Amino acid sequence: MFSFDRLYLDLPRLKPGSWRAWLAAPALVAAALLLRLALDGWVDDASLMLFLPAIIAAAFLGGGRAGLLALALSAGAWRLTWPAASVPFDALALFLLVGLVTVAAIGALRNAVSSVKRLNRTLADSEAKFRNLIESAPDAMVIADEKGRIALVNAQTERLFGYGREELIGQPVGILIPRPLADGHRRRMDAYMARPTTRAMGGTFDLHARHKDGREIPVEISLSPLWTESGLLVSSAIRDVSARRAIERELAQARQEEQAASRAKSDFLSSMSHELRTPLNAVIGFAQILELEDEDSLTPRQREYVDYIRGGGEHLLNLVNEVLDLSRIEAGRLSLAIEPGNVFDALEQAHQAMAPLADKAGIRLDLHLPDESADVRADRLRLHQVLLNLVSNAIKYNRPGGRATLTARAAPGDRIEFVVTDTGIGIAPGRQKDLFQPFQRLGAEHSAIEGTGLGLSLSRRLVEAMGGTIGLTSEPGQGSRVWFELPAEPGTRRTGPSSAAAPILLPGPQSRTYTLLHIDDNPLSIRLMEGILRSLPQVKMMGASTPQLGLELARAHRPDIILLDLHLPEMNGFQVLAQLKEMAETRDIPVLALTASAYPGDVKRGLTAGFFRYLTKPIDIKLLFAAIDEALIESEGRREAAG
């Protein structure tokens, strides 16, 4: 259809100021003059209006200056061609005024037309850029109007949903929604249109779209409102996450399998720990009984053999403990109780525990206490374990008659540095990097020195778990210096040990006889306890091999102490403890747990449940005697309070 404004906008025009524009003015005036001459007999000699089209054409084609030139040339051509003509001054002035107004109007129109054309070009460029942007987007792009009808899609949308572009334009966006979700989508769309905001991809919802063939596609969607003159548009970027969801499912499955394997490993290690500790309890326990015999009861060679038996049992026990600790650390289930601790006490306790080993090996173990120290933030038991590991290595890998030193000092950055040095064989620089790896003994496995290669690896992991660092410097033939740093407790300062280490209360003569009830389904454990308690003539033991028999004996005899295993048939030790606490005859009797369940969490659970002490197998006789002594004091106090 013909459009004048379109024709007008599309007419060619000359660039203002160009030589073509200047040439157009005289050419058009000349054409008007020729027309005037041709019509000489038909028009008035004084008529100037035939030149007006030339002026209009010059102004339109060449700009305002060309139009003014054409106006001047028209007036001059008329005067030169018809000098005798009589033209009133008013007519000439009117012609010039009309010409000027016409040139100005055409100039304004020309500028308006140029602006419109520039705007059209800008709009076309913007639209092209917008479409290119939409087309080049890596995600499917769907733009819908406020009624929810699709106004624009890109090629990714066609590929993702299987529809052609012409099939989607004008359709409701519900065509892309799975049918079971259609009602919910309409409600969410109405709510969004009421309060349109930008929404990024992701979130807590699992979203699905519908392919042309009906299958559902897991997607993520972002929404962006676009306000236009024609109303609100909503731009949706839709991303297919099928591959990612498949990977997530595989990862979740792998994680579940890993957790199941970890649980199975933990259950296996826990079971093996119990199964190993039970026979070790007999091996180490009976060896300790033999060590308590009179000097004349065993020959020197027999005592040497007993020492070998106990040493081998304790070595195997240490291996079990270290494997369990490494397993807990690797599984992320290491339980730590980080609290301020006395550095002096930690050093003295480690020194006291390792002094017998040093004396036996002929090594001088020196303890250098600092003049003052802040408290250290650490798990007390794990700190003690690390110190024992390091001092034990300093003794075992020392030279005959050598020296080991244990000390601590303040370190920069509010830290406490613990240091263990020795005068042993040292470690070559090239092998030091392997020292903290599990099961690395750097050739010592071929020597007579006992060890597992786990002590330093476990120490490193424990120190790091407590927020510290550990390191080593060593010179072959000169010895080694192992250090570790832990955070200091701000604002604390001590100038010496809090108190002397509490002595272990060994059995002594008593004025009365006490009764101990031992409930354990393992006959060997009961036999072992009978042997141990022979050293305490004032303590008489009763044994019970079943929980029910133990409860009946406890109610009937009201013993002073009950020693209770946790792994019992028919009911476990916690259930037995609960029944003991319910009965008036037994609720005040101190109950000591004696079990192979040695996890720190087990200990905490046992003490929380109400056990007076929680002892682990294999039995340490000195610790057992100390616990019995404390329980008897507690039992005497309760009897006196009861009248």
Short mmCIF file of all heavy atoms in Angstrom, two decimals, residues 50-95:
data_model
loop_
_atom_site.label_atom_id
_atom_site.label_comp_id
_atom_site.label_asym_id
_atom_site.label_seq_id
_atom_site.Cartn_x
_atom_site.Cartn_y
_atom_site.Cartn_z
N LEU A 50 6.34 31.10 -10.10
CA LEU A 50 6.85 29.92 -10.79
C LEU A 50 8.24 29.53 -10.28
O LEU A 50 8.68 28.41 -10.47
CB LEU A 50 6.90 30.17 -12.30
CG LEU A 50 5.54 30.16 -13.02
CD1 LEU A 50 5.72 30.49 -14.48
CD2 LEU A 50 4.88 28.81 -12.87
N PHE A 51 8.92 30.48 -9.64
CA PHE A 51 10.26 30.17 -9.09
C PHE A 51 10.17 29.49 -7.71
O PHE A 51 11.16 28.96 -7.22
CB PHE A 51 11.10 31.46 -8.97
CG PHE A 51 11.51 32.01 -10.29
CD1 PHE A 51 10.77 33.01 -10.90
CD2 PHE A 51 12.63 31.52 -10.94
CE1 PHE A 51 11.15 33.53 -12.12
CE2 PHE A 51 13.01 32.04 -12.17
CZ PHE A 51 12.28 33.05 -12.78
N LEU A 52 8.99 29.55 -7.10
CA LEU A 52 8.86 29.00 -5.76
C LEU A 52 9.10 27.49 -5.71
O LEU A 52 9.78 26.99 -4.80
CB LEU A 52 7.48 29.33 -5.18
CG LEU A 52 7.29 29.04 -3.69
CD1 LEU A 52 8.31 29.79 -2.86
CD2 LEU A 52 5.87 29.43 -3.28
N PRO A 53 8.58 26.70 -6.70
CA PRO A 53 8.90 25.25 -6.67
C PRO A 53 10.40 24.96 -6.73
O PRO A 53 10.88 24.02 -6.10
CB PRO A 53 8.17 24.70 -7.89
CG PRO A 53 7.03 25.65 -8.10
CD PRO A 53 7.57 27.00 -7.77
N ALA A 54 11.13 25.81 -7.51
CA ALA A 54 12.58 25.60 -7.59
C ALA A 54 13.25 25.84 -6.24
O ALA A 54 14.17 25.12 -5.84
CB ALA A 54 13.18 26.53 -8.65
N ILE A 55 12.75 26.87 -5.55
CA ILE A 55 13.31 27.17 -4.22
C ILE A 55 13.01 26.01 -3.26
O ILE A 55 13.87 25.57 -2.48
CB ILE A 55 12.74 28.49 -3.69
CG1 ILE A 55 13.14 29.64 -4.61
CG2 ILE A 55 13.18 28.74 -2.25
CD1 ILE A 55 12.43 30.94 -4.30
N ILE A 56 11.74 25.52 -3.32
CA ILE A 56 11.35 24.41 -2.43
C ILE A 56 12.20 23.17 -2.72
O ILE A 56 12.71 22.51 -1.82
CB ILE A 56 9.85 24.11 -2.59
CG1 ILE A 56 9.02 25.29 -2.09
CG2 ILE A 56 9.48 22.82 -1.86
CD1 ILE A 56 7.53 25.15 -2.36
N ALA A 57 12.35 22.86 -4.00
CA ALA A 57 13.12 21.68 -4.37
C ALA A 57 14.58 21.81 -3.95
O ALA A 57 15.20 20.85 -3.45
CB ALA A 57 13.01 21.44 -5.87
N ALA A 58 15.17 23.01 -4.16
CA ALA A 58 16.58 23.22 -3.77
C ALA A 58 16.75 23.07 -2.27
O ALA A 58 17.72 22.45 -1.78
CB ALA A 58 17.04 24.60 -4.23
N ALA A 59 15.80 23.65 -1.48
CA ALA A 59 15.90 23.55 -0.02
C ALA A 59 15.73 22.11 0.46
O ALA A 59 16.41 21.65 1.38
CB ALA A 59 14.85 24.44 0.63
N PHE A 60 14.82 21.37 -0.18
CA PHE A 60 14.58 20.00 0.24
C PHE A 60 15.75 19.09 -0.09
O PHE A 60 16.20 18.30 0.72
CB PHE A 60 13.30 19.48 -0.42
CG PHE A 60 13.00 18.04 -0.09
CD1 PHE A 60 12.51 17.69 1.16
CD2 PHE A 60 13.23 17.05 -1.03
CE1 PHE A 60 12.26 16.37 1.45
CE2 PHE A 60 12.98 15.73 -0.72
CZ PHE A 60 12.48 15.38 0.52
N LEU A 61 16.27 19.26 -1.37
CA LEU A 61 17.33 18.36 -1.81
C LEU A 61 18.70 18.76 -1.27
O LEU A 61 19.51 17.90 -0.92
CB LEU A 61 17.39 18.32 -3.34
CG LEU A 61 16.16 17.73 -4.04
CD1 LEU A 61 16.30 17.83 -5.55
CD2 LEU A 61 15.97 16.27 -3.64
N GLY A 62 18.99 20.06 -1.18
CA GLY A 62 20.34 20.49 -0.83
C GLY A 62 20.46 21.14 0.52
O GLY A 62 21.58 21.52 0.91
N GLY A 63 19.38 21.37 1.23
CA GLY A 63 19.46 21.99 2.53
C GLY A 63 19.10 23.47 2.49
O GLY A 63 18.80 24.06 1.44
N GLY A 64 19.15 24.11 3.66
CA GLY A 64 18.72 25.50 3.80
C GLY A 64 19.56 26.45 2.97
O GLY A 64 19.04 27.40 2.36
N ARG A 65 20.88 26.27 2.91
CA ARG A 65 21.73 27.19 2.15
C ARG A 65 21.45 27.10 0.66
O ARG A 65 21.44 28.12 -0.05
CB ARG A 65 23.20 26.88 2.43
CG ARG A 65 23.61 27.16 3.88
CD ARG A 65 25.06 26.83 4.11
NE ARG A 65 25.46 27.06 5.48
CZ ARG A 65 26.67 26.83 5.96
NH1 ARG A 65 27.60 26.30 5.14
NH2 ARG A 65 26.96 27.09 7.23
N ALA A 66 21.21 25.90 0.19
CA ALA A 66 20.86 25.75 -1.24
C ALA A 66 19.52 26.43 -1.53
O ALA A 66 19.32 27.04 -2.59
CB ALA A 66 20.80 24.27 -1.61
N GLY A 67 18.58 26.36 -0.58
CA GLY A 67 17.30 27.02 -0.76
C GLY A 67 17.45 28.53 -0.80
O GLY A 67 16.81 29.21 -1.62
N LEU A 68 18.28 29.12 0.08
CA LEU A 68 18.52 30.57 0.05
C LEU A 68 19.20 30.99 -1.24
O LEU A 68 18.89 32.05 -1.82
CB LEU A 68 19.37 30.96 1.26
CG LEU A 68 18.70 30.80 2.64
CD1 LEU A 68 19.69 31.12 3.74
CD2 LEU A 68 17.48 31.71 2.74
N LEU A 69 20.15 30.16 -1.69
CA LEU A 69 20.81 30.47 -2.97
C LEU A 69 19.79 30.47 -4.11
O LEU A 69 19.80 31.36 -4.99
CB LEU A 69 21.92 29.46 -3.24
CG LEU A 69 22.65 29.61 -4.59
CD1 LEU A 69 23.33 30.99 -4.68
CD2 LEU A 69 23.67 28.50 -4.78
N ALA A 70 18.90 29.48 -4.08
CA ALA A 70 17.87 29.42 -5.14
C ALA A 70 16.95 30.62 -5.06
O ALA A 70 16.52 31.18 -6.10
CB ALA A 70 17.07 28.12 -5.00
N LEU A 71 16.63 31.12 -3.85
CA LEU A 71 15.78 32.30 -3.68
C LEU A 71 16.45 33.53 -4.28
O LEU A 71 15.83 34.32 -5.01
CB LEU A 71 15.48 32.50 -2.19
CG LEU A 71 14.66 33.74 -1.83
CD1 LEU A 71 13.27 33.67 -2.48
CD2 LEU A 71 14.52 33.87 -0.31
N ALA A 72 17.74 33.69 -3.97
CA ALA A 72 18.47 34.86 -4.51
C ALA A 72 18.58 34.78 -6.02
O ALA A 72 18.41 35.79 -6.74
CB ALA A 72 19.85 34.94 -3.85
N LEU A 73 18.90 33.58 -6.54
CA LEU A 73 19.04 33.42 -7.99
C LEU A 73 17.70 33.65 -8.70
O LEU A 73 17.65 34.20 -9.82
CB LEU A 73 19.57 32.02 -8.32
CG LEU A 73 21.04 31.75 -7.92
CD1 LEU A 73 21.41 30.30 -8.20
CD2 LEU A 73 21.99 32.70 -8.68
N SER A 74 16.61 33.25 -8.06
CA SER A 74 15.28 33.44 -8.68
C SER A 74 14.97 34.92 -8.84
O SER A 74 14.50 35.38 -9.90
CB SER A 74 14.21 32.75 -7.84
OG SER A 74 14.41 31.36 -7.80
N ALA A 75 15.24 35.70 -7.75
CA ALA A 75 14.98 37.15 -7.82
C ALA A 75 15.88 37.82 -8.86
O ALA A 75 15.44 38.66 -9.67
CB ALA A 75 15.19 37.77 -6.44
N GLY A 76 17.16 37.40 -8.87
CA GLY A 76 18.08 38.00 -9.84
C GLY A 76 17.75 37.64 -11.27
O GLY A 76 17.84 38.48 -12.18
N ALA A 77 17.37 36.36 -11.50
CA ALA A 77 17.03 35.92 -12.86
C ALA A 77 15.81 36.67 -13.39
O ALA A 77 15.75 37.06 -14.56
CB ALA A 77 16.78 34.41 -12.87
N TRP A 78 14.86 36.88 -12.51
CA TRP A 78 13.66 37.59 -12.96
C TRP A 78 13.98 39.03 -13.34
O TRP A 78 13.54 39.52 -14.39
CB TRP A 78 12.62 37.55 -11.85
CG TRP A 78 11.31 38.18 -12.28
CD1 TRP A 78 10.29 37.62 -12.96
CD2 TRP A 78 10.96 39.55 -12.09
NE1 TRP A 78 9.27 38.51 -13.21
CE2 TRP A 78 9.68 39.73 -12.67
CE3 TRP A 78 11.60 40.66 -11.49
CZ2 TRP A 78 9.02 40.97 -12.68
CZ3 TRP A 78 10.92 41.87 -11.49
CH2 TRP A 78 9.66 42.01 -12.08
N ARG A 79 14.81 39.72 -12.58
CA ARG A 79 15.14 41.13 -12.86
C ARG A 79 15.95 41.25 -14.13
O ARG A 79 15.79 42.19 -14.91
CB ARG A 79 15.90 41.73 -11.69
CG ARG A 79 15.06 41.95 -10.43
CD ARG A 79 13.91 42.91 -10.65
NE ARG A 79 14.37 44.25 -10.92
CZ ARG A 79 13.60 45.27 -11.33
NH1 ARG A 79 12.30 45.04 -11.54
NH2 ARG A 79 14.09 46.48 -11.53
N LEU A 80 16.88 40.28 -14.34
CA LEU A 80 17.73 40.36 -15.54
C LEU A 80 16.94 40.01 -16.80
O LEU A 80 17.21 40.54 -17.89
CB LEU A 80 18.93 39.42 -15.40
CG LEU A 80 19.96 39.83 -14.34
CD1 LEU A 80 21.03 38.75 -14.20
CD2 LEU A 80 20.59 41.17 -14.69
N THR A 81 16.00 39.11 -16.62
CA THR A 81 15.27 38.65 -17.82
C THR A 81 14.17 39.61 -18.21
O THR A 81 13.94 39.90 -19.40
CB THR A 81 14.65 37.27 -17.55
OG1 THR A 81 15.67 36.38 -17.12
CG2 THR A 81 14.00 36.72 -18.82
N TRP A 82 13.49 40.22 -17.25
CA TRP A 82 12.40 41.15 -17.54
C TRP A 82 12.66 42.46 -16.81
O TRP A 82 12.00 42.79 -15.82
CB TRP A 82 11.06 40.56 -17.08
CG TRP A 82 10.68 39.34 -17.91
CD1 TRP A 82 10.08 39.33 -19.10
CD2 TRP A 82 10.91 38.00 -17.53
NE1 TRP A 82 9.91 38.07 -19.57
CE2 TRP A 82 10.42 37.17 -18.60
CE3 TRP A 82 11.51 37.36 -16.43
CZ2 TRP A 82 10.48 35.80 -18.61
CZ3 TRP A 82 11.56 35.99 -16.45
CH2 TRP A 82 11.06 35.21 -17.52
N PRO A 83 13.64 43.23 -17.29
CA PRO A 83 13.97 44.48 -16.59
C PRO A 83 12.87 45.52 -16.68
O PRO A 83 12.76 46.40 -15.83
CB PRO A 83 15.25 44.96 -17.28
CG PRO A 83 15.20 44.31 -18.63
CD PRO A 83 14.51 43.01 -18.48
N ALA A 84 12.09 45.45 -17.75
CA ALA A 84 11.08 46.50 -17.93
C ALA A 84 9.80 46.22 -17.15
O ALA A 84 8.89 47.03 -17.11
CB ALA A 84 10.75 46.67 -19.42
N ALA A 85 9.77 45.04 -16.64
CA ALA A 85 8.52 44.68 -15.95
C ALA A 85 8.33 45.55 -14.73
O ALA A 85 9.27 45.92 -14.05
CB ALA A 85 8.56 43.22 -15.55
N SER A 86 7.13 45.81 -14.51
CA SER A 86 6.81 46.66 -13.36
C SER A 86 6.29 45.76 -12.23
O SER A 86 5.21 45.18 -12.34
CB SER A 86 5.73 47.68 -13.77
OG SER A 86 5.35 48.42 -12.63
N VAL A 87 7.15 45.62 -11.23
CA VAL A 87 6.79 44.77 -10.09
C VAL A 87 6.69 45.63 -8.84
O VAL A 87 7.67 46.31 -8.49
CB VAL A 87 7.83 43.66 -9.87
CG1 VAL A 87 7.45 42.80 -8.69
CG2 VAL A 87 7.97 42.82 -11.12
N PRO A 88 5.58 45.67 -8.20
CA PRO A 88 5.47 46.47 -6.97
C PRO A 88 6.46 45.94 -5.92
O PRO A 88 6.76 44.74 -5.85
CB PRO A 88 4.02 46.26 -6.55
CG PRO A 88 3.31 45.76 -7.76
CD PRO A 88 4.30 45.02 -8.58
N PHE A 89 6.94 46.85 -5.12
CA PHE A 89 7.90 46.47 -4.07
C PHE A 89 7.26 45.51 -3.08
O PHE A 89 7.93 44.58 -2.59
CB PHE A 89 8.38 47.74 -3.34
CG PHE A 89 9.30 47.44 -2.20
CD1 PHE A 89 10.64 47.12 -2.43
CD2 PHE A 89 8.81 47.44 -0.89
CE1 PHE A 89 11.46 46.83 -1.37
CE2 PHE A 89 9.65 47.15 0.16
CZ PHE A 89 10.99 46.85 -0.08
N ASP A 90 5.98 45.70 -2.81
CA ASP A 90 5.32 44.80 -1.86
C ASP A 90 5.29 43.36 -2.36
O ASP A 90 5.45 42.42 -1.58
CB ASP A 90 3.88 45.27 -1.61
CG ASP A 90 3.86 46.60 -0.85
OD1 ASP A 90 4.92 46.95 -0.28
OD2 ASP A 90 2.79 47.22 -0.79
N ALA A 91 5.09 43.17 -3.70
CA ALA A 91 5.05 41.82 -4.27
C ALA A 91 6.41 41.15 -4.15
O ALA A 91 6.53 39.96 -3.81
CB ALA A 91 4.60 41.87 -5.73
N LEU A 92 7.49 41.93 -4.44
CA LEU A 92 8.84 41.37 -4.33
C LEU A 92 9.16 41.02 -2.87
O LEU A 92 9.73 39.95 -2.58
CB LEU A 92 9.86 42.38 -4.87
CG LEU A 92 11.33 41.92 -4.83
CD1 LEU A 92 11.52 40.65 -5.64
CD2 LEU A 92 12.24 43.03 -5.36
N ALA A 93 8.77 41.92 -1.97
CA ALA A 93 9.02 41.65 -0.55
C ALA A 93 8.24 40.42 -0.08
O ALA A 93 8.75 39.58 0.69
CB ALA A 93 8.64 42.87 0.28
N LEU A 94 6.99 40.30 -0.54
CA LEU A 94 6.20 39.14 -0.17
C LEU A 94 6.82 37.85 -0.70
O LEU A 94 6.88 36.83 -0.02
CB LEU A 94 4.77 39.29 -0.72
CG LEU A 94 3.82 38.12 -0.42
CD1 LEU A 94 3.65 37.94 1.09
CD2 LEU A 94 2.47 38.35 -1.10
N PHE A 95 7.35 37.91 -1.93
CA PHE A 95 8.01 36.74 -2.53
C PHE A 95 9.21 36.31 -1.69
O PHE A 95 9.41 35.13 -1.40
CB PHE A 95 8.42 37.07 -3.96
CG PHE A 95 9.28 36.01 -4.60
CD1 PHE A 95 8.73 34.80 -5.02
CD2 PHE A 95 10.64 36.21 -4.76
CE1 PHE A 95 9.53 33.84 -5.60
CE2 PHE A 95 11.44 35.24 -5.34
CZ PHE A 95 10.88 34.06 -5.77
#
